[in-house]
Amino acid sequence: MTTRNATDRDRDRSSTPHTETFLPYMRDVARCEQSLQELNLMWRIIEASAKMNCPVEAKSILPTMAATRSGFSRLEHELVSSLVQEKVGNVLAEIGTKARYVIDIVVRNLFERTADVGFLATDRELCNFVAGVSDSVEATRYRLREYRNKYTVYDEIILLDTEGNVLVQIDPATPLEHSADPLIRQTLESDTYVETFRATDLRPAKDRALVYSRRMHHPQTGAVIGVLCLCFHFEEEMAGIFAAHCDPQARSNMLLLDGENRVIASADALWIPPGSEVPVNTDGQPRLMMHSGRQYLVRTFAADGYQGYPGPAGWQGQVMIPVDVAFNGSTSDALSQLAPEVAEGLLAHAHSFCPPLHDIMTAAKTIQRIVWNGQVMTAGQRGDMLKLKTILDQISETGNRSNELFAQSIHDLYQTVLVSSMHDAEFTTGLMVDLLDRNLYERSDDCRWWALTPELRSVLAHAEIDADGSAKIDAILATINGLYTVYTRLFVYDRHGRIIASTGDARETVIGSHIDQATLAAVSALRSAQQYHVSPFRPSALYDGRDTYIYHAAIRALDQDAVVGGIGIVFDAEPELRNMLVAGLAGKERMSAFYVSREGRILASTDANRAVGATLEIDVAMLQLANGEHLSGVTLHDGQYAIVAASASSGYREFKTSDGYQEDVIAVVFQCFGAVSEGGSVNGGSAFQLEQDGAVNGNGDDLEYATFFSDHSLFAIAAAQVMEAVPYSEVLPTSMGNRVEQIGVLGLERDGQHRDFIWVFDLGFLIRGTRSAITSSSQVMIVQHGAHTIGLLVDELHAVPQFSQAQIIHTPFAMQGESMLVSQVIKANGGKLLIQAIEVERLFAWVVDGSIPQPPALELVTQPPGTPLVAQKEALLAA
């Protein structure tokens, strides 16, 4: 159930960690190992005792006991190793998801900065000032601060001439006159942006700064005239990432590293301070790494790049967790919150999501069958052979302890894997809404800044806009759209809502059309340059009839505050939103992801069968999550058992938090594990546990029955007529039988010399007339009567208990015909549990003559007419 991708999982399992290395840190697994060793010793003692005290009497069960001892010896080595491997793999997967997120979200953010500096360096007003065409320092500083007010990720913006002299800056706390930083010369010589992260005299109050610089050109001559520097507020950004996504229990530390494996930023700087050199684990191997005298599990990821931008050279995301606390996380009781049939159904697919868990379950069934066989093989001998009886009692007691151990091991590991997977799914959805909010934050910035473009404001201020004005705006929009590829269309409209310029396809049909009146009214009502309007996520003719967001900002006249038009930017929602979901999934297997509205309407999807605009069926509680909250659970999805998780968006910086815009989005993921099946294990439920009955005294009058499950009901056959049980996997299918209830043949060894083949019949079909579902718990009971031997397919084995004569009663149907398979009922647990006893003579009579038994009509039951079935059951229990 872990959400590692295929490569990670295969890599983890191809290199099993040393058990002795990690076992001391896993108290639950250590207890399991100790219990296995104790039980193995008990089986050895029982076997040795049988050989010494009653070798003749125990001859028939010695092979079974040897098989049991051998099975436990194997489990001691394999099972504990598998448990350790899975737990280590879960931790590595969890911290790996977070490590990948650290570097991915940083790279995506910095990609936007490369676009920003490229666009702002061509701003005509700024270029005019640097070129000396205009000379107003305050007007230029005001314009830069307006930019900073939109793009709040920057803490300083500086304009310099070609000699490094500071022309204007916006941070009054660190006044500058000149810079001798080599990045000035490097930028002047480059025809693209320059990315610098180190100490610089441009930011004297900081140990280091992340600066994006670009050369500027004269607006008339094209000559290089200066440098624009955008200083990214790196410390604030990393603090926000860490605060939102670090381990709330403070067991692990999130880090950003440089190419020399030194810490650039740390979620806990007192624990691992910036500048520290740390060990890295780029291949994801389960190994311990030492740092400052403490051993850690570590995952490290380098940047994958984003839209051609590789990220700062060598930067890596890393998470480190000390091994002494790695396996001590709090575990919620997730299993108790699941419907029993869902928990049981999901567990049936353990082989697909947790092979060690499946191994435990298989081992438990094997040991249970071995003990069960040992008991049925000696049925009827307990009263006659006192020494053997003692051995059998020890087998029963040790077998019960074995079953309890396996049941607890299965429960604990299942719980661990389930909770780990649910937490990972929650974190994944949190990452997805964070990616969304961060991306859309940039869109809100873009539309507001571009609305301040003087050329747009000047053209739109005219009551009538001529062809030259429209062409001028077209050229500006084309330049912008070329730098910002997340938009399919940029358009400008006048004060009446008529579109006068546009980029994108079908420009001819768009220009001259009008935006809707509701949008025009909303844009006209914007009171300041800090405000914007976003259309609801819905189909738009400006996006070829597909669903998207369109961000609008008001364009105001240069010399007054009057709104003279607006700009609309059409977000390329279809690929961009899907790419965010795919990035959040990071290759996780069998997982689909969605963005949905509060109403459950799909905004984006990785599921080809669920289109945008459709409604996603999920728990209403997930649609009602408060901002920033998350929730996970287990559900049925597309006919499969699945983990589902959801997180509600909470905004980024001022976006959706204090800027007045509110349109919540919920990220949802489903991770499917296998088809829903009506079959499944039913053993182990408290309703079927047998209690010791005082009427059973062991005086020779008690009867032994082999009990088992079929169709989720408990049945019994006299143990003396049962030879043994074998797994269904040993059945050979054949086309020879002409009866639907014949499902194959089984080869039996006779005296170890040759094999006899017997027919195997589906007991469930005989009882209810429909085929039984085959599961990993399915067993074949070999039943003998006279000269005949057959196999019976049953759902699961139960026990081989003794019952007194007083507990066995005839059913009300028994005297109504000789065709019924069930003629008696065993009252167990003080009458609270009814076990249906199959009449073997009738079973074999049917096998011989092929007459399927039919139950008599209900009116033949010896109860007063009209008696409810509940009353009939009560009368039976009272008999």
Side-chain angles (χ1 to χ4, degrees):
M1 197 179 300
T2 55
T3 50
R4 285 170 284 169
N5 61 44
T7 303
D8 285 347
R9 192 185 66 254
D10 293 342
R11 179 168 56 233
D12 291 346
R13 288 173 180 163
S14 66
S15 179
T16 304
H18 298 293
T19 301
E20 61 271 17
T21 300
F22 294 102
L23 186 59
Y25 305 102
M26 302 177 182
R27 291 192 295 268
D28 53 344
V29 180
R31 288 193 299 268
C32 179
E33 182 188 45
Q34 181 179 0
S35 298
L36 281 171
Q37 292 174 343
E38 292 174 354
L39 285 171
N40 190 12
L41 179 60
M42 281 300 304
W43 285 116
R44 291 177 180 272
I45 292 173
I46 293 171
E47 183 183 13
S49 178
K51 287 180 178 179
M52 289 187 296
N53 297 323
C54 51
V56 177
E57 297 89 336
K59 180 180 179 181
S60 62
I61 63 169
L62 283 174
T64 297
M65 295 170 64
T68 304
R69 173 180 50 77
S70 175
F72 265 93
S73 295
R74 184 174 62 255
L75 283 173
E76 278 189 69
H77 298 91
E78 296 180 0
L79 179 58
V80 173
S81 177
S82 295
L83 288 170
V84 170
Q85 174 186 343
E86 188 65 22
K87 282 181 170 286
V88 172
N90 282 345
V91 171
L92 288 174
E94 178 182 353
I95 65 175
T97 298
K98 295 185 177 183
R100 185 192 296 272
Y101 168 75
V102 172
I103 188 63
D104 282 356
I105 203 68
V106 168
V107 168
R108 283 171 172 265
N109 193 319
L110 299 187
F111 165 75
E112 299 284 351
R113 313 291 65 90
T114 65
D116 287 351
V117 73
F119 176 70
L120 192 59
T122 63
D123 183 87
R124 181 172 292 272
E125 296 297 305
L126 301 182
C127 289
N128 280 337
F129 173 77
V130 175
V133 177
S134 62
D135 59 1
S136 176
V137 173
E138 286 307 313
T140 303
R141 182 178 289 112
Y142 176 80
R143 183 161 181 77
L144 292 179
R145 284 178 174 167
E146 279 290 294
Y147 187 86
R148 165 63 176 79
N149 290 340
K150 311 297 183 294
Y151 299 86
T152 56
V153 295
Y154 300 111
D155 59 358
E156 172 70 295
I157 305 176
I158 307 172
L159 296 179
L160 306 99
D161 64 18
T162 56
E163 301 302 319
N165 298 309
V166 176
L167 303 177
V168 65
Q169 66 178 115
I170 64 171
D171 183 8
T174 56
L176 301 174
E177 293 184 0
H178 179 81
S179 172
D181 196 301
L183 75 83
I184 305 297
R185 179 55 50 194
Q186 182 183 0
T187 305
L188 291 171
E189 295 174 353
S190 174
D191 59 359
T192 184
Y193 69 89
V194 173
E195 186 176 62
T196 307
F197 182 68
R198 53 172 169 73
T200 173
D201 60 7
L202 290 167
R203 301 297 286 148
K206 293 189 174 186
D207 294 333
R208 59 197 170 178
L210 181 55
V211 180
Y212 288 85
S213 54
R214 184 83 184 236
R215 70 188 185 188
M216 303 176 72
H217 297 265
H218 195 289
Q220 281 83 43
T221 68
V224 176
I225 55 174
V227 173
L228 165 70
C229 292
L230 295 179
C231 301
F232 183 63
H233 203 333
F234 177 76
E235 297 81 7
E236 182 182 78
E237 178 64 18
M238 294 309 302
I241 292 174
F242 293 147
H245 301 289
C246 67
D247 183 0
Q249 297 177 327
R251 296 182 307 137
S252 63
N253 199 1
M254 300 178 76
L255 307 169
L256 183 66
L257 311 180
D258 64 16
E260 298 178 348
N261 303 332
R262 292 190 179 277
V263 177
I264 300 173
S266 171
D268 189 336
L270 295 179
W271 180 0
I272 304 178
S276 304
E277 185 175 354
V278 294
V280 298
N281 183 15
T282 56
D283 59 7
Q285 290 298 317
R287 62 171 71 94
L288 291 180
M289 296 184 155
M290 183 71 73
H291 176 67
S292 298
R294 198 173 187 185
Q295 290 184 306
Y296 290 84
L297 281 168
V298 179
R299 285 305 306 270
T300 314
F301 282 92
D304 289 332
Y306 179 65
Q307 294 195 10
Y309 170 66
W315 281 22
Q316 306 163 90
Q318 178 159 302
V319 174
M320 301 173 65
I321 184 168
V323 68
D324 52 307
V325 300
F327 310 104
N328 300 335
S330 59
T331 301
S332 63
D333 191 12
L335 281 179
S336 65
Q337 301 174 22
L338 300 183
E341 62 274 12
V342 173
E344 198 68 48
L346 180 58
L347 188 59
H349 295 284
H351 62 280
S352 68
F353 63 78
C354 184
L357 178 56
H358 180 259
D359 292 343
I360 294 177
M361 295 166 60
T362 302
K365 298 303 178 187
T366 301
I367 298 301
Q368 181 192 25
R369 184 176 62 253
I370 290 172
V371 174
W372 192 91
N373 283 339
Q375 293 173 320
V376 298
M377 286 177 183
T378 57
Q381 302 180 37
R382 296 175 182 249
D384 299 330
M385 304 179 184
L386 183 59
K387 293 181 179 180
L388 183 60
K389 179 182 183 301
T390 302
I391 297 296
L392 293 174
D393 288 344
Q394 290 176 340
I395 289 177
S396 296
E397 180 182 349
T398 307
N400 289 336
R401 288 182 57 194
S402 301
N403 290 337
E404 290 173 3
L405 169 64
F406 282 121
Q408 188 61 46
S409 299
I410 290 170
H411 179 277
D412 290 348
L413 183 57
Y414 189 14
Q415 181 102 290
T416 298
V417 174
L418 182 64
V419 171
S420 174
S421 297
M422 291 168 66
H423 285 172
D424 190 74
E426 288 180 7
F427 185 85
T428 299
T429 57
L431 185 157
M432 289 173 176
V433 290
D434 195 14
L435 287 175
L436 178 70
D437 284 340
R438 287 168 173 271
N439 191 298
L440 299 186
Y441 156 84
E442 303 285 349
R443 313 295 64 94
S444 69
D445 294 346
D446 290 347
C447 72
R448 289 178 294 165
W449 174 248
W450 296 334
L452 296 179
T453 304
E455 290 86 346
L456 302 185
R457 301 170 69 180
S458 175
V459 171
L460 286 173
H462 295 88
E464 295 294 332
I465 302 171
D466 57 22
D468 289 341
S470 295
K472 187 176 183 179
I473 294 179
D474 269 334
I476 294 172
L477 297 183
T479 300
I480 297 174
N481 212 164
L483 291 170
Y484 293 81
T485 56
V486 296
Y487 304 111
T488 59
R489 186 184 307 279
L490 307 182
F491 60 96
V492 168
Y493 47 92
D494 63 19
R495 69 192 73 196
H496 304 295
R498 185 175 67 89
I499 297 176
I500 62 170
S502 173
T503 64
D505 298 333
R507 290 181 59 257
E508 297 76 10
T509 60
V510 170
I511 294 176
S513 64
H514 287 73
I515 65 171
D516 62 272
Q517 288 299 312
T519 299
L520 180 61
V523 172
S524 300
L526 297 176
R527 296 181 179 179
S528 73
Q530 286 299 102
Q531 294 182 320
Y532 61 96
H533 170 73
V534 187
S535 65
F537 193 85
R538 63 189 179 194
S540 172
L542 297 171
Y543 192 54
D544 297 330
R546 294 172 291 167
D547 294 75
T548 191
Y549 293 113
I550 300 179
Y551 287 74
H552 296 263
I555 297 176
R556 302 172 189 276
L558 285 171
D559 56 351
Q560 55 183 327
D561 198 38
V563 174
V564 294
I567 184 171
I569 58 179
V570 181
F571 182 53
D572 195 3
E574 187 172 270
E576 294 295 328
L577 294 183
R578 189 179 188 281
N579 288 341
M580 293 178 213
L581 294 176
V582 171
L585 292 180
K588 292 181 173 67
E589 290 184 310
R590 300 182 297 273
M591 188 176 277
S592 56
F594 305 86
Y595 286 129
V596 301
S597 68
R598 284 289 187 187
E599 295 73 36
R601 185 173 180 269
I602 296 175
L603 313 182
S605 166
T606 64
D607 185 345
N609 296 320
R610 287 180 168 83
V612 172
T615 299
L616 184 65
E617 295 182 0
I618 58 172
D619 187 344
V620 67
M622 292 187 168
L623 298 176
Q624 296 174 348
L625 286 171
N627 295 117
E629 287 190 351
H630 47 73
L631 183 66
S632 61
V634 177
T635 187
L636 304 183
H637 179 68
D638 287 345
Q640 296 202 9
Y641 298 104
I643 283 179
V644 58
S647 292
S649 61
S650 57
Y652 171 65
R653 293 182 174 270
E654 68 279 1
F655 178 67
K656 291 186 178 180
T657 61
S658 60
D659 62 2
Y661 173 53
Q662 186 69 38
E663 183 164 333
D664 296 334
V665 175
I666 298 170
V668 181
V669 298
F670 291 94
Q671 188 173 21
C672 297
F673 297 104
V676 174
S677 173
E678 294 183 359
S681 173
V682 293
N683 195 4
S686 59
F688 296 107
Q689 294 178 359
L690 297 178
E691 302 170 1
Q692 185 65 39
D693 196 295
V696 178
N697 51 36
N699 60 8
D701 295 331
D702 300 328
L703 300 176
E704 290 177 286
Y705 281 86
T707 57
F708 55 90
F709 291 95
S710 182
D711 196 27
H712 296 275
S713 296
L714 194 57
F715 289 85
I717 289 180
Q721 295 178 291
V722 179
M723 298 173 60
E724 63 175 321
V726 298
Y728 173 78
S729 57
E730 295 188 15
V731 175
L732 302 174
T734 178
S735 59
M736 293 174 59
N738 57 4
R739 294 160 64 174
V740 67
E741 60 274 9
Q742 290 176 320
I743 58 174
V745 295
L746 188 65
L748 300 180
E749 289 190 5
R750 299 295 188 184
D751 302 324
Q753 296 180 355
H754 66 281
R755 293 169 66 87
D756 286 342
F757 288 92
I758 64 172
W759 280 109
V760 177
F761 296 87
D762 183 350
L763 180 61
F765 185 89
L766 304 181
I767 294 172
R768 64 180 181 273
T770 58
R771 294 293 292 268
S772 298
I774 303 299
T775 70
S776 59
S777 299
S778 297
Q779 307 284 332
V780 175
M781 290 173 43
I782 301 171
V783 183
Q784 191 172 38
H785 180 65
H788 301 286
T789 304
I790 63 170
L792 290 179
L793 172 65
V794 300
D795 292 341
E796 192 170 354
L797 302 177
H798 180 244
V800 187
Q802 291 179 288
F803 298 106
S804 68
Q805 294 281 0
Q807 292 177 270
I808 303 170
I809 61 174
H810 288 282
T811 69
F813 304 125
M815 304 307 295
Q816 305 302 321
E818 296 298 313
S819 62
M820 291 296 297
L821 287 183
V822 177
S823 62
Q824 294 178 323
V825 173
I826 303 171
K827 295 170 60 178
N829 297 351
K832 293 180 291 184
L833 174 62
L834 296 181
I835 305 173
Q836 303 174 70
I838 291 179
E839 180 66 53
V840 175
E841 291 185 5
R842 296 179 180 180
L843 173 64
F844 275 82
W846 172 82
V847 169
V848 173
D849 63 25
S851 176
I852 300 178
Q854 297 294 329
L858 286 178
E859 60 266 25
L860 297 180
V861 177
T862 55
Q863 294 291 327
T867 302
L869 292 179
V870 172
Q872 295 181 27
K873 181 178 178 181
E874 292 174 349
L876 178 61
L877 292 173

Coordinates of all heavy atoms in Angstrom, one line a residue, residues 58-103:
A58 N 2.1 -41.6 18.3 CA 2.3 -40.4 17.6 C 2.8 -40.5 16.1 O 3.1 -39.5 15.5 CB 3.2 -39.4 18.4
K59 N 2.9 -41.7 15.7 CA 3.5 -42.0 14.4 C 2.8 -41.2 13.3 O 3.4 -40.6 12.4 CB 3.5 -43.5 14.1 CG 4.1 -43.8 12.7 CD 4.1 -45.3 12.4 CE 4.7 -45.6 11.1 NZ 4.7 -47.1 10.8
S60 N 1.5 -41.1 13.4 CA 0.7 -40.5 12.3 C 0.9 -39.0 12.2 O 0.7 -38.4 11.2 CB -0.8 -40.9 12.4 OG -1.3 -40.4 13.6
I61 N 1.2 -38.4 13.4 CA 1.3 -36.9 13.4 C 2.7 -36.4 13.4 O 3.0 -35.2 13.3 CB 0.5 -36.3 14.6 CG1 1.2 -36.8 15.9 CG2 -0.9 -36.7 14.5 CD1 0.6 -36.0 17.1
L62 N 3.7 -37.3 13.5 CA 5.1 -36.8 13.6 C 5.5 -36.1 12.3 O 6.2 -35.0 12.4 CB 6.1 -38.0 13.8 CG 6.1 -38.5 15.3 CD1 7.0 -39.8 15.4 CD2 6.7 -37.4 16.2
P63 N 5.1 -36.5 11.1 CA 5.4 -35.7 9.9 C 4.8 -34.3 9.9 O 5.5 -33.4 9.5 CB 4.9 -36.6 8.7 CG 4.8 -38.0 9.3 CD 4.5 -37.8 10.7
T64 N 3.6 -34.2 10.5 CA 3.0 -32.9 10.6 C 3.7 -32.0 11.5 O 3.9 -30.8 11.3 CB 1.5 -33.1 11.0 OG1 0.8 -33.8 10.1 CG2 0.9 -31.7 11.2
M65 N 4.1 -32.6 12.6 CA 4.9 -31.8 13.6 C 6.2 -31.4 13.1 O 6.7 -30.2 13.3 CB 5.1 -32.6 14.9 CG 3.8 -32.9 15.6 SD 3.9 -34.1 16.9 CE 5.0 -33.2 18.0
A66 N 6.9 -32.2 12.3 CA 8.1 -31.9 11.7 C 7.9 -30.7 10.7 O 8.8 -29.8 10.6 CB 8.7 -33.1 11.0
A67 N 6.8 -30.8 9.9 CA 6.5 -29.7 9.0 C 6.3 -28.4 9.7 O 6.7 -27.3 9.2 CB 5.3 -30.1 8.1
T68 N 5.6 -28.5 10.9 CA 5.4 -27.3 11.6 C 6.7 -26.7 12.1 O 6.9 -25.5 12.0 CB 4.5 -27.6 12.8 OG1 3.3 -28.2 12.4 CG2 4.1 -26.3 13.6
R69 N 7.5 -27.5 12.7 CA 8.8 -27.0 13.2 C 9.6 -26.4 12.0 O 10.2 -25.3 12.2 CB 9.6 -28.2 13.8 CG 11.0 -27.8 14.2 CD 11.7 -29.0 14.9 NE 11.6 -30.2 14.1 CZ 12.3 -30.4 13.0 NH1 13.2 -29.5 12.5 NH2 12.2 -31.6 12.3
S70 N 9.6 -27.1 10.9 CA 10.4 -26.6 9.8 C 9.8 -25.2 9.3 O 10.6 -24.3 9.0 CB 10.3 -27.6 8.6 OG 11.0 -27.0 7.5
G71 N 8.5 -25.1 9.3 CA 7.9 -23.9 8.9 C 8.3 -22.7 9.8 O 8.6 -21.6 9.4
F72 N 8.3 -23.0 11.1 CA 8.7 -21.9 12.0 C 10.1 -21.5 11.9 O 10.5 -20.4 12.1 CB 8.4 -22.3 13.5 CG 7.0 -21.8 13.9 CD1 5.9 -22.6 13.8 CD2 6.9 -20.6 14.4 CE1 4.6 -22.1 14.2 CE2 5.6 -20.1 14.8 CZ 4.5 -20.9 14.7
S73 N 11.0 -22.5 11.7 CA 12.4 -22.2 11.5 C 12.6 -21.3 10.3 O 13.4 -20.3 10.3 CB 13.2 -23.5 11.3 OG 13.2 -24.3 12.4
R74 N 11.8 -21.5 9.2 CA 11.9 -20.7 8.0 C 11.4 -19.3 8.3 O 12.0 -18.3 7.9 CB 11.2 -21.3 6.9 CG 11.3 -20.6 5.6 CD 10.6 -21.3 4.4 NE 9.2 -21.5 4.7 CZ 8.6 -22.7 5.0 NH1 9.4 -23.8 5.2 NH2 7.3 -22.8 5.2
L75 N 10.3 -19.3 9.1 CA 9.7 -18.0 9.4 C 10.6 -17.1 10.2 O 10.6 -15.9 10.1 CB 8.4 -18.2 10.1 CG 7.2 -18.6 9.2 CD1 6.0 -18.9 10.1 CD2 6.9 -17.5 8.2
E76 N 11.3 -17.7 11.1 CA 12.2 -16.9 12.0 C 13.2 -16.1 11.2 O 13.5 -14.9 11.5 CB 13.0 -17.9 12.9 CG 12.3 -18.3 14.2 CD 13.2 -19.0 15.1 OE1 14.1 -18.4 15.7 OE2 13.1 -20.3 15.2
H77 N 13.6 -16.6 10.1 CA 14.6 -15.9 9.3 C 13.9 -15.0 8.2 O 14.3 -13.8 8.0 CB 15.5 -16.9 8.6 CG 16.3 -17.7 9.5 ND1 15.9 -18.9 10.0 CD2 17.5 -17.5 10.1 CE1 16.8 -19.4 10.8 NE2 17.8 -18.6 10.9
E78 N 12.9 -15.5 7.5 CA 12.3 -14.8 6.4 C 11.3 -13.8 6.8 O 11.3 -12.6 6.3 CB 11.7 -15.8 5.5 CG 12.6 -16.8 4.8 CD 12.0 -17.7 3.9 OE1 10.7 -17.6 3.7 OE2 12.7 -18.6 3.3
L79 N 10.5 -14.1 7.8 CA 9.4 -13.2 8.2 C 9.9 -11.9 8.8 O 9.5 -10.8 8.5 CB 8.4 -13.9 9.1 CG 7.2 -13.1 9.6 CD1 6.4 -12.6 8.5 CD2 6.4 -13.9 10.6
V80 N 10.8 -12.1 9.8 CA 11.3 -10.9 10.5 C 12.1 -10.0 9.5 O 12.0 -8.8 9.5 CB 12.2 -11.3 11.6 CG1 12.9 -10.1 12.2 CG2 11.4 -12.0 12.7
S81 N 12.9 -10.6 8.6 CA 13.6 -9.8 7.6 C 12.6 -9.1 6.7 O 12.8 -7.9 6.3 CB 14.4 -10.8 6.7 OG 15.1 -10.1 5.7
S82 N 11.5 -9.7 6.3 CA 10.5 -9.0 5.5 C 9.8 -7.9 6.2 O 9.6 -6.8 5.6 CB 9.5 -10.0 5.0 OG 10.0 -11.0 4.1
L83 N 9.5 -8.1 7.5 CA 8.9 -7.0 8.2 C 9.9 -5.8 8.3 O 9.4 -4.7 8.2 CB 8.6 -7.5 9.6 CG 7.4 -8.5 9.8 CD1 7.3 -9.1 11.1 CD2 6.1 -7.8 9.4
V84 N 11.1 -6.1 8.6 CA 12.1 -5.0 8.7 C 12.2 -4.3 7.4 O 12.2 -3.0 7.3 CB 13.5 -5.5 9.1 CG1 14.5 -4.4 9.0 CG2 13.4 -6.0 10.6
Q85 N 12.3 -5.0 6.3 CA 12.4 -4.4 5.0 C 11.2 -3.5 4.6 O 11.4 -2.4 4.1 CB 12.5 -5.6 3.9 CG 12.5 -5.1 2.5 CD 12.4 -6.2 1.5 OE1 12.6 -7.4 1.8 NE2 12.0 -5.9 0.3
E86 N 10.0 -4.0 5.0 CA 8.8 -3.2 4.6 C 8.8 -1.9 5.5 O 8.4 -0.8 5.0 CB 7.6 -4.0 4.9 CG 6.3 -3.3 4.4 CD 6.3 -3.1 2.8 OE1 7.0 -3.9 2.1 OE2 5.5 -2.2 2.4
K87 N 9.1 -2.0 6.7 CA 9.1 -0.8 7.6 C 10.2 0.2 7.1 O 9.9 1.4 7.1 CB 9.3 -1.2 9.0 CG 8.1 -1.8 9.7 CD 8.4 -2.1 11.2 CE 7.1 -2.5 11.9 NZ 6.2 -1.3 12.2
V88 N 11.3 -0.3 6.8 CA 12.4 0.7 6.3 C 11.9 1.3 5.0 O 12.1 2.5 4.7 CB 13.7 -0.1 6.1 CG1 14.7 0.8 5.4 CG2 14.3 -0.5 7.5
G89 N 11.3 0.5 4.1 CA 10.8 1.0 2.8 C 9.8 2.0 3.0 O 9.7 3.0 2.3
N90 N 8.9 1.8 4.0 CA 7.8 2.8 4.2 C 8.4 4.2 4.7 O 8.0 5.2 4.2 CB 6.9 2.3 5.3 CG 5.9 1.3 4.8 OD1 5.7 1.2 3.6 ND2 5.3 0.6 5.7
V91 N 9.4 4.1 5.6 CA 10.0 5.4 6.0 C 10.8 6.1 4.9 O 10.6 7.3 4.7 CB 11.0 5.1 7.2 CG1 11.8 6.3 7.5 CG2 10.3 4.6 8.4
L92 N 11.5 5.3 4.1 CA 12.2 5.9 2.9 C 11.3 6.5 1.9 O 11.5 7.5 1.3 CB 13.1 4.8 2.3 CG 14.4 4.4 3.0 CD1 15.1 3.3 2.3 CD2 15.3 5.6 3.2
A93 N 10.1 5.8 1.7 CA 9.1 6.4 0.8 C 8.5 7.7 1.3 O 8.4 8.6 0.6 CB 8.0 5.4 0.6
E94 N 8.3 7.7 2.6 CA 7.7 8.9 3.2 C 8.6 10.1 3.1 O 8.3 11.2 2.7 CB 7.3 8.7 4.7 CG 6.7 9.9 5.4 CD 6.4 9.6 6.8 OE1 6.5 8.4 7.2 OE2 6.0 10.5 7.6
I95 N 9.9 9.9 3.6 CA 10.8 11.0 3.5 C 11.2 11.4 2.1 O 11.6 12.5 1.8 CB 12.0 10.8 4.4 CG1 12.9 9.6 3.9 CG2 11.6 10.6 5.9 CD1 14.1 9.4 4.8
G96 N 11.2 10.4 1.2 CA 11.5 10.6 -0.2 C 10.5 11.5 -0.9 O 10.9 12.4 -1.7
T97 N 9.2 11.3 -0.6 CA 8.2 12.2 -1.1 C 8.4 13.6 -0.7 O 8.3 14.6 -1.5 CB 6.8 11.7 -0.6 OG1 6.5 10.4 -1.1 CG2 5.7 12.7 -1.1
K98 N 8.8 13.9 0.5 CA 9.0 15.2 1.0 C 10.3 15.8 0.5 O 10.3 17.0 0.1 CB 9.1 15.2 2.6 CG 7.8 14.8 3.2 CD 7.8 14.9 4.7 CE 6.5 14.6 5.3 NZ 6.5 14.8 6.8
A99 N 11.3 15.0 0.3 CA 12.6 15.5 -0.3 C 12.4 15.9 -1.7 O 12.9 16.9 -2.1 CB 13.7 14.4 -0.1
R100 N 11.6 15.1 -2.5 CA 11.4 15.5 -3.8 C 10.6 16.8 -3.9 O 10.8 17.6 -4.8 CB 10.6 14.4 -4.5 CG 10.4 14.6 -6.0 CD 9.4 13.6 -6.6 NE 9.8 12.2 -6.5 CZ 10.5 11.6 -7.4 NH1 10.9 12.3 -8.5 NH2 10.9 10.4 -7.3
Y101 N 9.6 16.9 -3.0 CA 8.8 18.1 -3.0 C 9.6 19.4 -2.7 O 9.4 20.4 -3.4 CB 7.7 18.0 -1.9 CG 7.0 19.3 -1.6 CD1 6.1 19.8 -2.5 CD2 7.3 20.0 -0.5 CE1 5.5 21.0 -2.3 CE2 6.7 21.2 -0.2 CZ 5.7 21.7 -1.1 OH 5.1 22.9 -0.9
V102 N 10.6 19.3 -1.8 CA 11.4 20.5 -1.5 C 12.0 21.1 -2.7 O 11.9 22.3 -3.0 CB 12.5 20.1 -0.4 CG1 13.4 21.3 -0.3 CG2 11.8 19.8 0.9
I103 N 12.7 20.2 -3.5 CA 13.4 20.7 -4.7 C 12.5 21.1 -5.8 O 12.7 22.1 -6.5 CB 14.5 19.7 -5.1 CG1 15.4 20.3 -6.2 CG2 13.9 18.4 -5.5 CD1 16.2 21.5 -5.7

